[in-house]
Amino acid sequence: MSTTAPDPLATLGALPGVADAVDSVRKAVDRVYGHRVMRRRSNEVTAEAALRGARGSAALSGADWNLEEVRRRTDFSSDDESQVIGAALRLTAEAGQLLSIWRQSPLRVLARLHLVAAGGAAPDDAVGRPRLAGEPVDEPLIEAPLPSADEVAGRLEGLSGLILAGSAAPALVTAAVVHGELLALRPFGSYNGLVARTAERIVLIGSGLDPKSICPAEVGHAEQGRAAYVAAFEGYLSGTPEGMAAWIAHCGRAVELGVRESTAVCEALQRGAA
């Protein structure tokens, strides 16, 4: 009799509708990677995807600036919204540097992401570590009940164990679970949404689904709107098969919309207009 432990992520991958979402995402990603511009100018597409992804993630966290304003600005310290934009830009730039560490110590990466996001804007002793009992959390978009500090610590260890153990689940499923779990826990005192979406990006890159980081799911999350994002997240929180499948499908649609954005960038570069 086999004593192999079940793979919970693979179980989610078998939920009704999830396989269709995974297949749709894979086909979309393959199409943009096959664009002729990617053979010559992939670095430009990556840079533009990073900028647009940061803008989208910041929009979900309440700083909904137009792209050209994000591109133009250099000072991101003057007010709350500009600090969110600055945090999103720093996180997007950092994500690709943390892939090898993520595979060895996801919790170190999460601590680093919060440190990068905070950028000195929070008290030193609250940055880069999970919150302690009684410490407040600033995350205006997510109003779900806040898990206790002890529950956060336990579930973070569980999430880390899942990642370190590896899984046969598709990258989309793993990325959606990492994203959803971090939103549910809100382990830090600030910037949890930005950190969760960056962790999703890291999984998508590191899995090999999007190795050049040209499919910014953050763009798609923002395009679907804050209300749809919260509604899909409530499905994750429910823990039901239907709710989990809906959250994974929502994340899949976000990747596809990110692909559409980068395809438009490729077309613009091909025309010489970007």
Side-chain angles (χ1 to χ4, degrees), residues 44-54 92 201 213-216 219 262:
E44 294 171 71
V45 181
T46 295
E48 190 65 20
L51 183 71
R52 295 178 186 221
T92 303
R201 173 184 281 265
S213 192
I214 62 166
C215 306
V219 168
S262 286

Side-chain angles (χ1 to χ4, degrees), residues 57-264:
S57 191
L60 286 171
S61 288
D64 192 1
W65 292 14
N66 67 60
L67 183 64
E68 292 313 311
E69 178 68 7
V70 177
R71 197 190 304 278
R72 181 186 67 82
R73 286 283 288 272
T74 56
D75 177 15
F76 297 102
S77 61
S78 58
D79 54 64
D80 288 346
E81 284 197 7
S82 63
Q83 288 173 15
V84 169
I85 296 285
L89 289 167
R90 290 192 298 273
L91 285 170
T92 303
E94 188 79 3
Q97 311 302 313
L98 297 172
L99 297 177
S100 61
I101 303 173
W102 176 261
R103 298 184 187 103
Q104 300 169 5
S105 179
L107 298 185
R108 279 181 58 201
V109 170
L110 294 176
R112 174 63 184 170
L113 291 177
H114 187 243
L115 184 68
V116 168
D124 289 347
D125 64 352
V127 173
R129 62 157 175 79
R131 56 186 167 82
L132 304 177
E135 290 184 335
V137 173
D138 179 15
E139 190 59 51
L141 180 60
I142 305 301
E143 298 180 353
L146 199 64
S148 70
D150 286 344
E151 183 178 352
V152 167
R155 286 172 63 176
L156 282 177
E157 287 292 342
L159 181 64
S160 176
L162 279 179
I163 295 164
L164 292 174
S167 173
L172 172 64
V173 173
T174 303
V177 168
V178 168
H179 183 170
E181 190 67 358
L182 292 174
L183 277 186
L185 295 178
R186 282 148 288 161
F188 303 110
S190 58
Y191 298 116
N192 288 287
L194 295 179
V195 168
R197 291 184 288 276
T198 305
E200 178 186 50
R201 173 184 281 265
I202 288 172
V203 173
L204 293 173
I205 299 169
S207 67
L209 177 65
D210 181 22
K212 293 183 182 294
S213 192
I214 62 166
C215 306
E218 304 96 324
V219 168
H221 287 304
E223 187 170 334
Q224 292 178 90
R226 299 178 90 194
Y229 184 73
V230 171
F233 173 61
E234 288 173 354
Y236 179 86
L237 285 178
S238 75
T240 65
E242 297 80 10
M244 295 296 288
W247 170 248
I248 294 167
H250 182 88
C251 292
R253 180 59 178 157
V255 175
E256 290 185 68
L257 290 170
V259 167
R260 187 176 72 178
E261 188 87 353
S262 286
T263 300

